[in-house]
Amino acid sequence: MRLHRLELTAFGPYPRPEVVDFDSLGADGLFLLHGDTGAGKTTLLDAVAFALFGRVPGARGDVKKLRCEYADPEVPTEVSLELTVQSRRFRIVRSPEFDRPKKRGGGFTTQPAKCSLTWLEGWDGEGITRIDDVARAVEDLLGMSYEQFFQVVLLPQGEFAKFLRSDTAEREVLLEKLFGTERFLDVEKWFRDKRVVAGRVLEERRQGASELMHRVAEAAGEEPSFEPGWLESVLERLSLAVRAAEAASEETAGVADGADALLAQARVQADQIRRVREARELLARVEAADSASWFAERDAARRASPVVPAFGEIAKLQQSFEFAVRDETRAAEALARLGYTGSALREDAERYREEAGGLAELAAEAERQQADVRRLSVLKDSSYKVERRLLALNAELEVLPERLAQCRAQLDAAAEASARLESLKARADAAEALPGAGEALERTKNELHQAIDVHQKAKDVLQQVRHQRLENMAIELAAALKRGKPCAVCGSPSHPAPAQPMLGGVDATDEEEAALDEQTALDRRNEAERAAHAAELRIQACWEALGSEEPAVALAEYRTALELARTRSQRQNEFVGLEAKTRDLGTEKAKVEQDLVGLRTEHTSLVTVVEERGARLEKARGEHEDVLTRRDHLLRLAKALVELADRRNAREAALSRVEEQQASVAALAAEAGFPDVETALAAARPAIKLQALDERIAAWERARASAMATLEELAEVDPAAAVDLNEVTAAASSARAAASEAATRLARARAAFDRVSELAARLRAEWKSLEPLEASYAELDALTDVINGRGQNSKKMTLRSYVLAARLEEVAVAASARLHRMSQGRYSFVHSDSAGARGTRGGLSLDVLDDYSGRSRPAKTLSGGESFLASLSLALGLADVVANETGGALLDTLFVDEGFGTLDSDTLDIVMNTLDELRAGGRVVGLVSHVEELRQRIPTRLRVRKARTGSTLEVSLG
Amino acid sequence: MRILHTSDWHVGRTFHGRDLLVEQESVLSGLADLVSSEKVDVVVISGDLYDRAVPSADAVSLCARVLMRIRAAGARIVITPGNHDSAARIGVFGEFAAAGGLHLRTQISLLDKPVELEDEHGPVAVYGIPFLEPEPARHVLGVADKGHAPVLGEAMRRIRADLAGRSARSVVLAHAFVTGGAPSESERTIAVGGVQDVSMQVFSGVDYVALGHLHGPQTLAENLRYSGSPLAYSFSEARQRKSVWLVELDAGGLVGVERRDLPVPRRLATLTGTLAEVLEDPAHAAVEDHFLSVVLTDQVRPMDALRQLQTRFEHAVHVEWRPEQGLQHNMTYAERVRGRTDEEVACCFVSDARGSEPSSAEMSLLREAFAAVAREHEQ
């Protein structure tokens, strides 16, 4: 990194724009920045830091106070820094947030912070304008953050010796950022966090186990105790209680069983006495009943049962007989209605049927007669219609020939007109063109007259011009004369009196113009003559075409013929249509005449047939309306006769069946042992009543049998004996209650034992599962302590210190090389990993080895001047080691701010030599100091002048 | 179809404080030439496009230029974010970018929705698995087990399920440490609870798996490869040949994979000797324009060593002082820390501070701590 140019405006104590050209200041590699205290030397370094990082180091870090208080309120605060990093040259322009006066009205408005980065050389970028993007680009290029920058590049006032004096914890923070080992810090933190989380989890689990133990105690009804073996002793006590309860339960159960047996025996005895008493009562009741009459009634009813249905059958047959009498009466009435009076029913029926058969053929003829009469009336209608059509056809055919002839004549006239049309059109065109042609002739003649006039005038003008020119020829010749040259006319070289030019003179040009005009006029005249001639010819042609005809007549004739010709095709169509119609009507007439003849013939023959058949049918009709009616009557009469004969037979059969059934019923009653039918019917019982009688008898028999059986079974039981059940029952129930109470106590003891056993098992499992958790927590806890420099860590050193110690060792070596030189071989640095006082963490201590005493002592004990030397060495050593790690971005500009005041002049010499050496590699070193002696040693100086209105800069080179 | 497989660009990465944008642009632009000369259809980039979650403006515009050139050369591009990238930032405007042929597959929930490409043999489904940070990925994918392997397993299960419903050849992009890969110093561990690697079997069932994360190119199986980074990002990679894979698919799937070496913009070298030797030895002329890491063996620590070295070796970026006879007696810490990984340092620390070596349980705690802190730093 090399700085080129710094510009600042209204920044710190500088109200006006100031420029620092590091290129020229750094030409020698070493320059001094000096001035009075408080003039603003360090502010320049702040400006560099602000440009790069937007912040300034140390206590001056409040960016809002960067604005110059003396500056014109309108002038914005701005810092611009041009520098090269990694062979890219670029400029950063940055303004802090500040208040500027409002453009309108009073008060202030806040101008936000701004920043931009512009690439100048070595990179084709578009530039960056966002503050965070700039910050990222700067950090990427420099390879360091602002903290590192302030420690390694800008060694700031006050903080310069901080690193030398700081303790392990502070060194850790700085070195960690310089060497990028923050991950070890994070690992330490990761362990601490993990321990907290794991501890919380473990505590929760322990809590769970403790709750479980309380539940064991509660279930066992004891106080919880953490003594070993407590759980086992609780279980033992509970198990003893269970065994005692078991014994008590067994004993009471035996007593209760004995009491129960006695009770059962007493109950059986009481029951038998009751049964014997009941049986005796039942038997007495059964024997008192009237059972003999029940048996007699049942037997009579059973015997009468066949008579009842046979008697019912008589009524049904009687009914059939009555229906047959009614049917016969109806048939006789129907026959009487047909007018029959005879008595030989079946013979008469046979006779009438034969008569009807003889009439069958005549009936068919009567039907045909009806059809023929209908046909005759149809024939009459058709004949009338055909005759009418024939009359109409004749009328139409009569007028057609005349219309045909008329149409023919019109067609011929149209054809003739169209043949003439061509010749008529030529004449009509000529007649139409005639008026236009006349006008054209008139116009061309007028134009010809004008052209002739114009030409005549032009000709006159030409002659006049020619004439005039001849007259003026002398003047023209004279104008062509030249002194000393021979005259074209006389050849004399001297021209004593040449003619003088005069106004209005004419020359060759004028003549040429006049001749041209005349020629133009002549051309026009010829053209007009040609046009007039052409018009004349056209009019003549028109007259020729017309011949002897008047123009108006020719036009009219043409128009008439045109009209006529246009009707030609219409006439043609009309004529063809008429011809076709004539043909069609003729054909139809022939057909109609033929039809008429056919109709008349059929009518005549049909009339004859109808008359003959009518006579025959009249004779066969008899006294009926016609033959068909008569035949119908005969058939119906025969059918009625047969019906009556059948019904009479049926009535007789029914009567004989009634009489048979009455005889059969009387026989049945006698057979069953009854004197007559009436007695038998009285003894009969309906089925349902008979069944009830049967059941009553059966029940009586069962009751009697049952009572007898019981008395036989319990023959030795005395119905008068007595048993007291109450006493026995009370004894049994109190024994049972005692047994049940003992069983409840046993169940409770067993439940308590089971519950406690189950909880105890869970508690043991919980203790078991806690074991590895406790172990892994203990391991994590111990490891976390070790990593964080506590507990088993004998060095009291954290992991990050351990890692950084390696770097610090190298820093100590690098710094010692410089310190050794500057302290004239007296001091060098040694790294110490010893723990600090009062158990503080160790690992990153730096001691100074004093060669005079051969002992090392803490760096804090160095004097002021020695501290400066040590700090400077350490800073340079640190920069060296950092560069080796990340060699990409070497630092070519270095500032040392203050500290020189503490040095004696010999030491100052040595320090200056050391700083001189730094220049060797192309580095530029800027010293900030107000020490007088340095001013004499360093010729390139940048002076800061302080004034009431703010500071200014002044450069002196050599 | 020809696919160019690359990964781990780490655009914006610095090299020992030196920015590498110019070098990165020259190498990455060479990919565009490769696309046109080899008629590449698709370029797949398996993670770690940028070096950090919020890349600088320069890095973003460089990346945009390079991708434009590749697209202009005729290839479509598929990108998934790696453990260094911010998926949300990479994926912004993804749908618009897809319309222009740049497919940003950054959403875990959409990892089974492939980029659907087509060649004369039919469709090719390119699935991009964004780097699966185990905790959030478990939540999105609904996986109960912790670690990288279960979430990646679930991701592949979903991909195979989607693939079962298509008749297509398949390519998967993933960013992971697959068992058997050889790490370099410039990769950041993705370990969680001590386990960072996943087995190769996880990726079965696809035609080609384009892996990212490891910086050295390597072949775990014919169809399972790391392309490695296009540039060396640590001195441990000085011997690697940086390259990309050209993957050829035909109707039946993978036909063959060819290696194409990338140009090296600036070689890496390590020199050892005293400062005077290193500065004067004419044999070192060959490495004068290399990026140099120098081990100085002077007995006395030279002052301003890097500044002096840079007068001859402009690109010397790192210096380590390691005296020939060992460090002085007062530099025991440097001896203990130098050249060791963070975990080894922590192990030594515990031994030194407590007097006993850390147990294996303690070591795994330490590993977990470093992995957690590394992730935190990125965010």
Side-chain angles (χ1 to χ4, degrees), chain B residues 241-286:
Chain B
R241 279 162 58 210
K242 294 300 185 187
S243 57
V244 294
W245 298 114
L246 276 181
V247 180
E248 182 81 37
L249 298 181
D250 75 357
L254 188 64
V255 183
V257 183
E258 289 173 32
R259 182 182 184 134
R260 290 288 180 273
D261 286 337
L262 294 172
V264 180
R266 194 174 298 289
R267 296 198 167 279
L268 308 183
T270 304
L271 293 182
T272 305
T274 63
L275 181 59
E277 284 167 11
V278 171
L279 282 175
E280 279 151 30
D281 191 342
H284 298 331

Side-chain angles (χ1 to χ4, degrees), chain A residues 86 88 140 183 186 190 779 786 793-794 797 802 809-810 814 818 833 880 883-884 887-888 890-892 923, chain B residues 16-17 19 52 301 303-304 306-307 310 317 319 331-334 338 342 349 352-353 359 361 369 377:
Chain A
Q86 293 207 29
R88 294 192 196 176
D140 281 352
R183 61 188 183 280
D186 293 334
W190 184 87
E779 191 176 59
V786 169
N793 188 329
S794 57
M797 190 172 178
Y802 185 83
E809 278 174 353
E810 193 169 346
R818 294 227 168 24
D833 61 3
D880 199 6
N884 280 2
L890 270 189
L891 306 166
D892 292 310
R923 236 182 316 216
Chain B
H16 291 274
D19 99 50
R52 52 187 185 197
R301 187 182 183 282
M303 279 198 285
D304 277 348
L306 189 67
R307 195 174 289 277
Q310 286 188 353
V317 292
V319 173
M331 291 201 60
T332 59
Y333 286 101
R338 183 151 293 162
D342 287 353
F349 163 75
D352 282 357
S359 66
H377 270 238

